[in-house]
Amino acid sequence: MSFTALGRAVPKPPFDGARGAPVVRLCVVSLERTTPPGQPLTDADRRRPEQLRRLSCALLELWDLRSYVDDVELLVSELVTNALQHGAGPAVHVRICADDDHLHLYVEDGSSNRPVPRPMDIEAENGRGLHMVAAIADHLDTSEDGTTVHCAMALSERAA
């Protein structure tokens, strides 16, 4: 697993008194897959969502966004699990970033197959993840090439 993080990059105010660039917070993680596409997840890959949940909790604490921890844990868990189960690339890339207005999560899995929510079945053991992501996130979309799922939450007064 490779990891790159920027804490709070607070810009210096401009000399002319205009509003400066927004505060940007960024973390990028690349996970090398141990599971061949289409196969049951290995133990190492089954541990990945939990590792990313812990990391995201630490980041949100660092970024003073504690009130988003529960939502982001679920978003990370669902999207990373989907990427590991259905992705095609040798790695899964996760980017968590926040500016003054939004918290963003990008998960790239190397597959050009766009995720499609399954019909809701309360009795099913799986298949509800994208429905939960759509319910929590203010925005959910997929890149044009289908390789990256992006969701965003508006930051509000509940931050800090």
Side-chain angles (χ1 to χ4, degrees):
M1 174 175 11
S2 64
F3 170 74
T4 304
L6 294 174
R8 286 179 79 106
V10 181
K12 295 180 178 152
F15 293 111
D16 64 1
R19 182 176 178 205
V23 173
V24 176
R25 295 151 281 191
L26 172 67
C27 176
V28 179
V29 179
S30 293
L31 308 169
E32 295 297 321
R33 297 171 55 96
T34 61
T35 303
Q39 298 297 312
L41 293 181
T42 62
D43 289 341
D45 281 350
R46 278 198 296 276
R47 288 190 296 271
R48 298 296 192 196
E50 171 60 27
Q51 293 167 341
L52 268 288
R53 282 193 303 271
R54 286 195 314 263
L55 174 65
S56 64
C57 289
L59 286 170
L60 294 178
E61 288 284 329
L62 176 69
W63 296 344
D64 294 326
L65 296 172
R66 290 172 202 85
S67 61
Y68 294 89
V69 165
D70 291 339
D71 289 343
V72 171
E73 277 187 302
L74 188 136
L75 296 173
V76 164
S77 184
E78 292 300 330
L79 294 179
V80 169
T81 299
N82 283 354
L84 289 167
Q85 288 178 334
H86 306 292
V92 172
H93 305 285
V94 179
R95 184 170 38 148
I96 303 170
C97 56
D99 55 30
D100 290 337
D101 301 316
H102 291 89
L103 179 63
H104 299 271
L105 174 63
Y106 298 86
V107 179
E108 180 184 351
D109 66 8
S111 172
S112 60
N113 296 326
R114 292 174 167 268
V116 177
R118 297 182 198 168
M120 284 294 282
D121 181 355
I122 293 175
E123 309 229 351
E125 290 187 26
N126 52 34
R128 293 182 288 276
L130 284 176
H131 294 287
M132 291 189 292
V133 170
I136 291 172
D138 295 312
H139 178 79
L140 175 63
D141 65 351
T142 306
S143 62
E144 288 291 321
D145 64 2
T147 63
T148 305
V149 175
H150 163 245
C151 63
M153 292 189 302
L155 297 178
S156 64
E157 64 280 349
R158 76 173 172 158

